[in-house]
Amino acid sequence: MKLTVLGNNGPYPRPGGACSGYLLETDNKRILIDCGNGVLSRLLKICSIKDIDIIILTHLHSDHISDIMVMKYAIGVNKMKGKYNITIPLYVPTDDYEMVKRLNYNNSFNIIPIEENTIINLGDIEITFRRMKHPIKTFAVKVRKGGKTFVYSSDTSYNESLIDFSKNADLLLCEAGILEEDREDNAPHLSAKQAGEIGKKAGVKRLILTHFWPEYNLERVKIEASQTFDSILELSQEMKAYYI
């Protein structure tokens, strides 16, 4: 599997950056996970929208979905012009019905609710979900193919369920939205230190941090996480590909 980081900031981008968006590719499938602001233009440098097999939105916060509001017109208008004949499966939590309705235009997407028992079988790929601890309904994502496992935490506070869900993963892409010095008891995000702890307790082979506060010095993020995770640790880089 090949993972390309399209955007790695939240809740807003650094200058020239983009918010959450990740393209997961196999030999013949392309899966877009989250589609925050700035993601669509970067995606189009890699492939056409028509090449996307499914889209997963882990939750309905703007920094994870805002470019879907643009993509729906890219698809819908081209369908009216006869250039596209597609309806892409869009998996999304449907707790905010009014928001979910606004995601679609001209049947651009087939909207499918995500629940904890949702399983997606896409050829030889299996995708499962686990509810996370966040102010709105949010899911971590696990993708298995050919004996390899990729897990994406999405946004979450510290919780044991993510450790269990990530157990022995080949790659855990984990949010590290805050530094420990800025973390409050009710913080809706993981600190870099906590992300490292989760990676270590889960026994993941490789930990890549993402969802960075755009004002942080990222070297501080990496140093903090390395205090609790002593295996392969990286900071996600936009438009960089990682192989699983």
Side-chain angles (χ1 to χ4, degrees):
M1 293 184 282
K2 175 183 175 183
L3 175 73
T4 302
V5 176
L6 303 174
N8 64 4
N9 282 155
Y12 63 94
R14 62 176 174 79
C19 286
S20 297
Y22 309 95
L23 178 65
L24 189 64
E25 299 175 271
T26 67
D27 295 337
N28 58 1
K29 299 295 182 184
R30 289 186 173 93
I31 303 163
L32 179 62
I33 304 175
D34 285 341
C35 193
N37 48 301
V39 166
L40 179 56
S41 63
R42 291 180 169 182
L43 173 69
L44 293 175
K45 291 181 179 181
I46 299 172
C47 65
S48 167
I49 295 172
K50 293 185 289 184
D51 296 327
I52 300 298
D53 291 281
I54 66 170
I55 300 171
I56 296 168
L57 301 180
T58 60
H59 63 294
L60 293 172
H61 277 159
S62 296
D63 56 334
H64 292 254
I65 70 167
S66 61
D67 265 20
I68 285 291
M69 299 296 190
V70 181
M71 188 187 291
K72 69 180 181 181
Y73 293 116
I75 298 171
V77 173
N78 276 307
K79 288 177 75 169
M80 287 190 291
K81 292 183 175 182
K83 294 183 177 181
Y84 284 10
N85 183 26
I86 59 170
T87 298
I88 300 177
L90 176 63
Y91 291 84
V92 59
T94 54
D95 45 314
D96 185 338
Y97 179 69
E98 291 303 315
M99 173 67 80
V100 171
K101 283 198 304 183
R102 293 198 293 272
L103 297 178
N104 217 345
Y105 172 72
N106 195 26
N107 200 32
S108 296
F109 304 114
N110 174 26
I111 294 177
I112 304 166
I114 297 175
E115 299 295 346
E116 272 215 323
N117 61 354
T118 299
I119 300 174
I120 304 171
N121 291 300
L122 191 66
D124 60 349
I125 301 167
E126 182 188 75
I127 305 171
T128 55
F129 301 89
R130 181 70 62 87
R131 179 81 178 263
M132 290 291 101
K133 188 178 179 182
H134 203 50
I136 65 173
K137 198 172 186 179
T138 303
F139 290 92
V141 182
K142 182 186 292 183
V143 183
R144 291 191 179 103
K145 181 187 186 299
K148 296 291 187 177
T149 301
F150 163 69
V151 175
Y152 167 48
S153 69
S154 189
D155 290 4
T156 186
S157 300
Y158 190 93
N159 67 95
E160 296 291 328
S161 187
L162 179 57
I163 296 169
D164 176 67
F165 193 60
S166 306
K167 189 69 70 176
N168 299 322
D170 294 280
L171 192 158
L172 170 60
L173 179 66
C174 190
E175 78 119 303
I178 53 178
L179 292 171
E180 186 67 19
E181 66 188 39
D182 296 328
R183 185 175 63 84
E184 299 177 353
D185 289 342
N186 61 347
H189 295 283
L190 295 170
S191 70
K193 178 183 177 182
Q194 289 177 318
E197 289 174 354
I198 287 169
K200 184 173 183 177
K201 289 180 178 179
V204 303
K205 297 178 178 66
R206 188 177 180 191
L207 175 64
I208 298 180
L209 304 181
T210 194
H211 201 274
F212 306 121
W213 175 253
E215 311 297 334
Y216 278 153
N217 177 327
L218 294 186
E219 189 59 27
R220 293 185 64 202
V221 175
K222 186 172 184 179
I223 289 171
E224 181 174 295
S226 68
Q227 295 171 359
T228 51
F229 187 78
D230 54 9
S231 190
I232 300 173
L233 170 66
E234 300 172 67
L235 302 179
S236 65
Q237 297 181 42
E238 293 176 332
M239 296 307 289
K240 180 175 178 178
Y242 302 85
Y243 292 87
I244 307 160

PDB file of all heavy atoms in Angstrom, residues 56-80:
ATOM      1  N   ILE A  56     -13.597   8.201   2.356  1.00  0.00           N
ATOM      2  CA  ILE A  56     -13.982   8.049   3.761  1.00  0.00           C
ATOM      3  C   ILE A  56     -13.759   9.375   4.465  1.00  0.00           C
ATOM      4  O   ILE A  56     -12.653   9.927   4.423  1.00  0.00           O
ATOM      5  CB  ILE A  56     -13.144   6.951   4.452  1.00  0.00           C
ATOM      6  CG1 ILE A  56     -13.417   5.580   3.816  1.00  0.00           C
ATOM      7  CG2 ILE A  56     -13.438   6.912   5.953  1.00  0.00           C
ATOM      8  CD1 ILE A  56     -12.432   4.504   4.234  1.00  0.00           C
ATOM      9  N   LEU A  57     -14.799   9.894   5.097  1.00  0.00           N
ATOM     10  CA  LEU A  57     -14.678  11.080   5.948  1.00  0.00           C
ATOM     11  C   LEU A  57     -14.829  10.618   7.388  1.00  0.00           C
ATOM     12  O   LEU A  57     -15.882  10.100   7.771  1.00  0.00           O
ATOM     13  CB  LEU A  57     -15.751  12.118   5.606  1.00  0.00           C
ATOM     14  CG  LEU A  57     -15.746  12.640   4.160  1.00  0.00           C
ATOM     15  CD1 LEU A  57     -16.867  13.662   3.963  1.00  0.00           C
ATOM     16  CD2 LEU A  57     -14.398  13.239   3.792  1.00  0.00           C
ATOM     17  N   THR A  58     -13.790  10.804   8.184  1.00  0.00           N
ATOM     18  CA  THR A  58     -13.784  10.241   9.535  1.00  0.00           C
ATOM     19  C   THR A  58     -14.702  10.981  10.487  1.00  0.00           C
ATOM     20  O   THR A  58     -15.175  10.413  11.470  1.00  0.00           O
ATOM     21  CB  THR A  58     -12.370  10.220  10.111  1.00  0.00           C
ATOM     22  OG1 THR A  58     -11.853  11.569  10.167  1.00  0.00           O
ATOM     23  CG2 THR A  58     -11.449   9.357   9.254  1.00  0.00           C
ATOM     24  N   HIS A  59     -14.950  12.254  10.235  1.00  0.00           N
ATOM     25  CA  HIS A  59     -15.924  13.031  11.000  1.00  0.00           C
ATOM     26  C   HIS A  59     -16.220  14.323  10.253  1.00  0.00           C
ATOM     27  O   HIS A  59     -15.625  14.601   9.201  1.00  0.00           O
ATOM     28  CB  HIS A  59     -15.462  13.282  12.433  1.00  0.00           C
ATOM     29  CG  HIS A  59     -14.220  14.105  12.583  1.00  0.00           C
ATOM     30  ND1 HIS A  59     -12.983  13.692  12.153  1.00  0.00           N
ATOM     31  CD2 HIS A  59     -14.016  15.334  13.139  1.00  0.00           C
ATOM     32  CE1 HIS A  59     -12.071  14.612  12.426  1.00  0.00           C
ATOM     33  NE2 HIS A  59     -12.684  15.622  13.028  1.00  0.00           N
ATOM     34  N   LEU A  60     -17.147  15.102  10.780  1.00  0.00           N
ATOM     35  CA  LEU A  60     -17.711  16.220  10.025  1.00  0.00           C
ATOM     36  C   LEU A  60     -17.135  17.583  10.397  1.00  0.00           C
ATOM     37  O   LEU A  60     -17.754  18.600  10.116  1.00  0.00           O
ATOM     38  CB  LEU A  60     -19.240  16.235  10.190  1.00  0.00           C
ATOM     39  CG  LEU A  60     -19.961  15.049   9.546  1.00  0.00           C
ATOM     40  CD1 LEU A  60     -21.437  15.038   9.933  1.00  0.00           C
ATOM     41  CD2 LEU A  60     -19.825  15.097   8.022  1.00  0.00           C
ATOM     42  N   HIS A  61     -15.963  17.638  10.990  1.00  0.00           N
ATOM     43  CA  HIS A  61     -15.323  18.926  11.217  1.00  0.00           C
ATOM     44  C   HIS A  61     -14.742  19.457   9.911  1.00  0.00           C
ATOM     45  O   HIS A  61     -14.240  18.691   9.075  1.00  0.00           O
ATOM     46  CB  HIS A  61     -14.231  18.802  12.276  1.00  0.00           C
ATOM     47  CG  HIS A  61     -14.764  18.862  13.677  1.00  0.00           C
ATOM     48  ND1 HIS A  61     -14.071  18.358  14.767  1.00  0.00           N
ATOM     49  CD2 HIS A  61     -15.929  19.369  14.175  1.00  0.00           C
ATOM     50  CE1 HIS A  61     -14.784  18.561  15.875  1.00  0.00           C
ATOM     51  NE2 HIS A  61     -15.912  19.163  15.539  1.00  0.00           N
ATOM     52  N   SER A  62     -14.775  20.785   9.765  1.00  0.00           N
ATOM     53  CA  SER A  62     -14.440  21.412   8.482  1.00  0.00           C
ATOM     54  C   SER A  62     -13.047  21.079   7.984  1.00  0.00           C
ATOM     55  O   SER A  62     -12.830  20.947   6.768  1.00  0.00           O
ATOM     56  CB  SER A  62     -14.592  22.931   8.591  1.00  0.00           C
ATOM     57  OG  SER A  62     -15.928  23.287   8.844  1.00  0.00           O
ATOM     58  N   ASP A  63     -12.079  20.965   8.888  1.00  0.00           N
ATOM     59  CA  ASP A  63     -10.715  20.706   8.430  1.00  0.00           C
ATOM     60  C   ASP A  63     -10.525  19.280   7.919  1.00  0.00           C
ATOM     61  O   ASP A  63      -9.442  18.924   7.451  1.00  0.00           O
ATOM     62  CB  ASP A  63      -9.689  21.032   9.525  1.00  0.00           C
ATOM     63  CG  ASP A  63      -9.939  20.294  10.833  1.00  0.00           C
ATOM     64  OD1 ASP A  63     -11.101  19.927  11.106  1.00  0.00           O
ATOM     65  OD2 ASP A  63      -8.975  20.104  11.593  1.00  0.00           O
ATOM     66  N   HIS A  64     -11.596  18.484   7.960  1.00  0.00           N
ATOM     67  CA  HIS A  64     -11.554  17.128   7.413  1.00  0.00           C
ATOM     68  C   HIS A  64     -12.504  16.942   6.232  1.00  0.00           C
ATOM     69  O   HIS A  64     -12.423  15.912   5.557  1.00  0.00           O
ATOM     70  CB  HIS A  64     -11.889  16.110   8.502  1.00  0.00           C
ATOM     71  CG  HIS A  64     -10.849  16.011   9.559  1.00  0.00           C
ATOM     72  ND1 HIS A  64      -9.986  14.945   9.666  1.00  0.00           N
ATOM     73  CD2 HIS A  64     -10.506  16.870  10.552  1.00  0.00           C
ATOM     74  CE1 HIS A  64      -9.155  15.149  10.690  1.00  0.00           C
ATOM     75  NE2 HIS A  64      -9.466  16.302  11.251  1.00  0.00           N
ATOM     76  N   ILE A  65     -13.379  17.910   5.975  1.00  0.00           N
ATOM     77  CA  ILE A  65     -14.395  17.698   4.922  1.00  0.00           C
ATOM     78  C   ILE A  65     -14.561  18.861   3.952  1.00  0.00           C
ATOM     79  O   ILE A  65     -15.282  18.736   2.964  1.00  0.00           O
ATOM     80  CB  ILE A  65     -15.777  17.402   5.533  1.00  0.00           C
ATOM     81  CG1 ILE A  65     -16.356  18.658   6.209  1.00  0.00           C
ATOM     82  CG2 ILE A  65     -15.723  16.227   6.493  1.00  0.00           C
ATOM     83  CD1 ILE A  65     -17.831  18.548   6.564  1.00  0.00           C
ATOM     84  N   SER A  66     -13.925  20.007   4.183  1.00  0.00           N
ATOM     85  CA  SER A  66     -14.336  21.211   3.452  1.00  0.00           C
ATOM     86  C   SER A  66     -14.147  21.102   1.941  1.00  0.00           C
ATOM     87  O   SER A  66     -14.929  21.667   1.174  1.00  0.00           O
ATOM     88  CB  SER A  66     -13.600  22.437   3.989  1.00  0.00           C
ATOM     89  OG  SER A  66     -12.210  22.306   3.838  1.00  0.00           O
ATOM     90  N   ASP A  67     -13.132  20.376   1.461  1.00  0.00           N
ATOM     91  CA  ASP A  67     -12.960  20.275   0.006  1.00  0.00           C
ATOM     92  C   ASP A  67     -13.945  19.316  -0.644  1.00  0.00           C
ATOM     93  O   ASP A  67     -14.069  19.303  -1.868  1.00  0.00           O
ATOM     94  CB  ASP A  67     -11.522  19.893  -0.339  1.00  0.00           C
ATOM     95  CG  ASP A  67     -10.665  21.121  -0.637  1.00  0.00           C
ATOM     96  OD1 ASP A  67     -11.058  22.231  -0.228  1.00  0.00           O
ATOM     97  OD2 ASP A  67      -9.594  20.981  -1.270  1.00  0.00           O
ATOM     98  N   ILE A  68     -14.668  18.520   0.152  1.00  0.00           N
ATOM     99  CA  ILE A  68     -15.783  17.757  -0.416  1.00  0.00           C
ATOM    100  C   ILE A  68     -16.847  18.711  -0.947  1.00  0.00           C
ATOM    101  O   ILE A  68     -17.522  18.431  -1.951  1.00  0.00           O
ATOM    102  CB  ILE A  68     -16.380  16.803   0.645  1.00  0.00           C
ATOM    103  CG1 ILE A  68     -15.452  15.607   0.858  1.00  0.00           C
ATOM    104  CG2 ILE A  68     -17.768  16.308   0.233  1.00  0.00           C
ATOM    105  CD1 ILE A  68     -15.358  14.643  -0.307  1.00  0.00           C
ATOM    106  N   MET A  69     -16.992  19.862  -0.285  1.00  0.00           N
ATOM    107  CA  MET A  69     -17.958  20.862  -0.731  1.00  0.00           C
ATOM    108  C   MET A  69     -17.599  21.436  -2.096  1.00  0.00           C
ATOM    109  O   MET A  69     -18.449  21.989  -2.798  1.00  0.00           O
ATOM    110  CB  MET A  69     -18.054  21.989   0.300  1.00  0.00           C
ATOM    111  CG  MET A  69     -18.516  21.552   1.672  1.00  0.00           C
ATOM    112  SD  MET A  69     -20.211  20.913   1.656  1.00  0.00           S
ATOM    113  CE  MET A  69     -20.525  20.790   3.418  1.00  0.00           C
ATOM    114  N   VAL A  70     -16.339  21.315  -2.479  1.00  0.00           N
ATOM    115  CA  VAL A  70     -15.879  21.750  -3.794  1.00  0.00           C
ATOM    116  C   VAL A  70     -15.891  20.568  -4.764  1.00  0.00           C
ATOM    117  O   VAL A  70     -16.308  20.701  -5.915  1.00  0.00           O
ATOM    118  CB  VAL A  70     -14.457  22.346  -3.691  1.00  0.00           C
ATOM    119  CG1 VAL A  70     -13.977  22.822  -5.057  1.00  0.00           C
ATOM    120  CG2 VAL A  70     -14.427  23.486  -2.689  1.00  0.00           C
ATOM    121  N   MET A  71     -15.447  19.415  -4.290  1.00  0.00           N
ATOM    122  CA  MET A  71     -15.415  18.236  -5.148  1.00  0.00           C
ATOM    123  C   MET A  71     -16.793  17.869  -5.679  1.00  0.00           C
ATOM    124  O   MET A  71     -16.940  17.389  -6.811  1.00  0.00           O
ATOM    125  CB  MET A  71     -14.818  17.044  -4.392  1.00  0.00           C
ATOM    126  CG  MET A  71     -14.582  15.828  -5.285  1.00  0.00           C
ATOM    127  SD  MET A  71     -14.070  14.340  -4.371  1.00  0.00           S
ATOM    128  CE  MET A  71     -12.439  14.824  -3.825  1.00  0.00           C
ATOM    129  N   LYS A  72     -17.824  18.093  -4.864  1.00  0.00           N
ATOM    130  CA  LYS A  72     -19.170  17.728  -5.316  1.00  0.00           C
ATOM    131  C   LYS A  72     -19.550  18.479  -6.580  1.00  0.00           C
ATOM    132  O   LYS A  72     -20.255  17.947  -7.447  1.00  0.00           O
ATOM    133  CB  LYS A  72     -20.197  17.956  -4.208  1.00  0.00           C
ATOM    134  CG  LYS A  72     -20.458  19.415  -3.861  1.00  0.00           C
ATOM    135  CD  LYS A  72     -21.487  19.535  -2.748  1.00  0.00           C
ATOM    136  CE  LYS A  72     -21.783  20.998  -2.392  1.00  0.00           C
ATOM    137  NZ  LYS A  72     -22.766  21.109  -1.295  1.00  0.00           N
ATOM    138  N   TYR A  73     -19.067  19.718  -6.723  1.00  0.00           N
ATOM    139  CA  TYR A  73     -19.343  20.486  -7.940  1.00  0.00           C
ATOM    140  C   TYR A  73     -18.448  20.038  -9.080  1.00  0.00           C
ATOM    141  O   TYR A  73     -18.878  20.007 -10.240  1.00  0.00           O
ATOM    142  CB  TYR A  73     -19.173  21.974  -7.675  1.00  0.00           C
ATOM    143  CG  TYR A  73     -20.210  22.522  -6.718  1.00  0.00           C
ATOM    144  CD1 TYR A  73     -19.848  23.032  -5.483  1.00  0.00           C
ATOM    145  CD2 TYR A  73     -21.564  22.504  -7.050  1.00  0.00           C
ATOM    146  CE1 TYR A  73     -20.801  23.510  -4.597  1.00  0.00           C
ATOM    147  CE2 TYR A  73     -22.524  22.984  -6.172  1.00  0.00           C
ATOM    148  CZ  TYR A  73     -22.136  23.487  -4.951  1.00  0.00           C
ATOM    149  OH  TYR A  73     -23.080  23.956  -4.073  1.00  0.00           O
ATOM    150  N   ALA A  74     -17.209  19.687  -8.784  1.00  0.00           N
ATOM    151  CA  ALA A  74     -16.321  19.173  -9.824  1.00  0.00           C
ATOM    152  C   ALA A  74     -16.923  17.929 -10.474  1.00  0.00           C
ATOM    153  O   ALA A  74     -16.834  17.742 -11.691  1.00  0.00           O
ATOM    154  CB  ALA A  74     -14.950  18.857  -9.232  1.00  0.00           C
ATOM    155  N   ILE A  75     -17.537  17.086  -9.653  1.00  0.00           N
ATOM    156  CA  ILE A  75     -18.182  15.891 -10.189  1.00  0.00           C
ATOM    157  C   ILE A  75     -19.533  16.236 -10.815  1.00  0.00           C
ATOM    158  O   ILE A  75     -19.823  15.882 -11.965  1.00  0.00           O
ATOM    159  CB  ILE A  75     -18.375  14.838  -9.084  1.00  0.00           C
ATOM    160  CG1 ILE A  75     -17.023  14.390  -8.526  1.00  0.00           C
ATOM    161  CG2 ILE A  75     -19.145  13.619  -9.634  1.00  0.00           C
ATOM    162  CD1 ILE A  75     -17.134  13.518  -7.293  1.00  0.00           C
ATOM    163  N   GLY A  76     -20.381  16.949 -10.050  1.00  0.00           N
ATOM    164  CA  GLY A  76     -21.754  17.197 -10.489  1.00  0.00           C
ATOM    165  C   GLY A  76     -21.858  17.995 -11.762  1.00  0.00           C
ATOM    166  O   GLY A  76     -22.675  17.683 -12.647  1.00  0.00           O
ATOM    167  N   VAL A  77     -21.058  19.041 -11.912  1.00  0.00           N
ATOM    168  CA  VAL A  77     -21.097  19.866 -13.122  1.00  0.00           C
ATOM    169  C   VAL A  77     -20.571  19.079 -14.315  1.00  0.00           C
ATOM    170  O   VAL A  77     -21.136  19.139 -15.417  1.00  0.00           O
ATOM    171  CB  VAL A  77     -20.298  21.166 -12.914  1.00  0.00           C
ATOM    172  CG1 VAL A  77     -20.183  21.937 -14.224  1.00  0.00           C
ATOM    173  CG2 VAL A  77     -20.961  22.040 -11.852  1.00  0.00           C
ATOM    174  N   ASN A  78     -19.507  18.307 -14.120  1.00  0.00           N
ATOM    175  CA  ASN A  78     -18.983  17.497 -15.230  1.00  0.00           C
ATOM    176  C   ASN A  78     -19.947  16.394 -15.630  1.00  0.00           C
ATOM    177  O   ASN A  78     -19.960  15.965 -16.790  1.00  0.00           O
ATOM    178  CB  ASN A  78     -17.617  16.915 -14.855  1.00  0.00           C
ATOM    179  CG  ASN A  78     -16.490  17.898 -15.115  1.00  0.00           C
ATOM    180  OD1 ASN A  78     -16.358  18.428 -16.212  1.00  0.00           O
ATOM    181  ND2 ASN A  78     -15.664  18.147 -14.100  1.00  0.00           N
ATOM    182  N   LYS A  79     -20.774  15.932 -14.684  1.00  0.00           N
ATOM    183  CA  LYS A  79     -21.810  14.967 -15.052  1.00  0.00           C
ATOM    184  C   LYS A  79     -22.856  15.635 -15.950  1.00  0.00           C
ATOM    185  O   LYS A  79     -23.297  15.042 -16.938  1.00  0.00           O
ATOM    186  CB  LYS A  79     -22.475  14.401 -13.800  1.00  0.00           C
ATOM    187  CG  LYS A  79     -21.584  13.438 -13.021  1.00  0.00           C
ATOM    188  CD  LYS A  79     -22.239  12.934 -11.742  1.00  0.00           C
ATOM    189  CE  LYS A  79     -23.301  11.905 -12.019  1.00  0.00           C
ATOM    190  NZ  LYS A  79     -23.755  11.222 -10.794  1.00  0.00           N
ATOM    191  N   MET A  80     -23.224  16.881 -15.635  1.00  0.00           N
ATOM    192  CA  MET A  80     -24.193  17.604 -16.471  1.00  0.00           C
ATOM    193  C   MET A  80     -23.643  17.857 -17.870  1.00  0.00           C
ATOM    194  O   MET A  80     -24.386  17.879 -18.853  1.00  0.00           O
ATOM    195  CB  MET A  80     -24.565  18.925 -15.807  1.00  0.00           C
ATOM    196  CG  MET A  80     -25.463  18.759 -14.586  1.00  0.00           C
ATOM    197  SD  MET A  80     -26.142  20.321 -13.976  1.00  0.00           S
ATOM    198  CE  MET A  80     -24.677  21.117 -13.332  1.00  0.00           C
TER     199      MET A  80
END
